[in-house]
């Protein structure tokens, strides 16, 4: 899974799904969500990893890159946790290759007026 923050057709930051810096990835330590049979789109707090969208926003913060008004291109429509961060960061549009089963996220983007496009083409 990946995410790219873009302004004026220029890449600002990138992110990918993974554990925090210096922490073993769940492929090494085992996935608690899988062990507990947690469905996709639920109980995000049980995951030791960060979503690609979160890592792209964190990379922007670490390097002092303003992202207000930019576009986010990502693999999946963001979950509700990522959506709240995207709203507060001022992202104006999300373009994703696939949907994601999170009704709260869909409601939040509508309320915030963020455009969401599903686009499977390259």
């Amino acid at each position: 899974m990946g995410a790219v923050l873009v302004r004026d057709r220029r890449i600002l930051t990138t992110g990918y799904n993974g554990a925090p810096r210096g922490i073993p990835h769940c492929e090494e330590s085992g996935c608690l969500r899988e062990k507990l049979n947690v469905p996709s789109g639920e109980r995000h707090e049980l995951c030791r990893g960060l979503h690609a969208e979160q890592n792209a926003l964190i990379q922007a913060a670490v390097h002092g890159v303003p992202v207000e008004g930019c576009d986010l291109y990502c693999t999946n429509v963001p979950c509700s946790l990522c959506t709240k961060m995207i709203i507060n960061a001022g992202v104006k549009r999300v373009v994703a290759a696939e949907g994601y089963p999170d009704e709260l996220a869909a409601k939040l983007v509508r309320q915030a007026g963020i455009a969401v496009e599903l686009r499977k083409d390259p």
Side-chain angles (χ1 to χ4, degrees):
M1 309 295 178
V4 180
L5 286 165
V6 175
R7 181 182 297 111
D8 298 326
R9 303 179 71 111
R10 297 184 196 281
I11 294 173
L12 302 177
T13 64
T14 63
Y16 59 89
N17 286 8
R21 190 184 328 188
I23 304 295
H25 194 277
C26 48
E27 289 178 351
E28 300 169 47
S29 64
C31 178
L32 180 58
R33 292 171 51 85
E34 283 181 8
K35 289 177 189 171
L36 297 174
N37 294 315
V38 176
S40 182
E42 297 178 15
R43 303 291 315 270
H44 302 288
E45 75 278 5
L46 294 177
C47 182
R48 66 187 291 114
L50 291 137
H51 286 177
E53 301 90 337
Q54 293 168 324
N55 274 323
L57 290 168
I58 291 166
Q59 185 182 42
V62 166
H63 295 288
V65 177
V67 296
E68 188 163 7
C70 70
D71 298 328
L72 172 69
Y73 292 85
C74 47
T75 306
N76 295 93
V77 171
C79 70
S80 56
L81 292 176
C82 292
T83 296
K84 290 184 270 187
M85 293 178 197
I86 289 163
I87 291 167
N88 277 356
V91 172
K92 68 175 183 178
R93 181 173 72 126
V94 173
V95 179
E98 299 176 19
Y100 190 75
D102 190 327
E103 291 180 29
L104 177 58
K107 183 178 181 179
L108 291 170
V109 293
R110 281 193 305 273
Q111 289 177 333
I114 295 174
V116 177
E117 299 174 26
L118 284 177
R119 213 188 278 177
K120 291 187 183 267
D121 57 336

